Amino acid sequence: MESEARAWIEAMLGEKLGALSLQEELKDGVVLCRIANTIEPGVCPKPSTARMAFKQMDNIANYLKACTALGVPSEDLFQTVALFEGQNMPAVLINVHSLGRVAQSRPDFNGPTLGAKLATENARAFDETMLFEG
């Protein structure tokens, strides 16, 4: 799950992440904000590159707000400390995979894919004859 997320992030950004663990690469929130803005420009405020912990946590919080705006379900979000302190990386990976699915459902998105595409409604109308034959 982590290797797929890393590969998708690198494809989205068009560049390789560093040699650090995925948690350490994402910890400051800059990469996550850049991904959200790749999906929809301006959905996430420009991330701060300051090394201060509260600025990095603000970046993560802004990314999570952008995820909500993009349509990521609330159950696929994570707590800021889950990433910043590395307390719950599985939740972070679930979020990245969910964002990949949501991105595919956007009509203006033609970037790389991650995970299965979300289902779309396919309403059908049957008349009485079709229902009787059915």
Side-chain angles (χ1 to χ4, degrees):
M1 194 167 173
E2 183 173 332
S3 59
E4 293 101 358
R6 180 183 280 268
W8 181 72
I9 290 168
E10 291 174 345
M12 287 290 290
L13 299 177
E15 62 190 53
K16 291 278 188 194
L17 295 176
L20 300 173
S21 71
L22 189 59
Q23 185 268 334
E24 291 168 326
E25 294 289 342
L26 301 180
K27 180 180 176 176
D28 64 3
V30 173
V31 169
L32 294 173
C33 289
R34 288 180 56 207
I35 292 168
N37 284 329
T38 300
I39 296 168
E40 183 178 310
V43 72
C44 190
K46 184 178 179 191
S48 171
T49 56
R51 306 309 309 163
M52 295 173 281
F54 74 93
K55 288 291 190 181
Q56 293 176 349
M57 288 192 275
D58 278 348
N59 289 343
I60 297 169
N62 288 335
Y63 162 76
L64 292 169
K65 288 176 191 171
C67 283
T68 301
L70 291 169
V72 173
S74 61
E75 60 269 11
D76 290 342
L77 300 176
F78 58 89
Q79 297 295 314
T80 301
V81 295
L83 172 59
F84 189 77
E85 296 178 2
Q87 292 180 353
N88 191 357
M89 271 310 285
V92 175
L93 294 173
I94 288 169
N95 170 264
V96 171
H97 279 258
S98 182
L99 181 61
R101 284 190 305 275
V102 167
Q104 292 178 57
S105 67
R106 300 184 64 80
D108 55 338
F109 180 77
N110 57 0
T113 60
L114 176 65
K117 186 175 181 182
L118 292 174
T120 56
E121 185 178 355
N122 186 6
R124 297 180 180 146
F126 298 105
D127 60 19
E128 289 292 322
T129 307
M130 290 177 91
L131 290 172
F132 182 74
E133 291 174 359

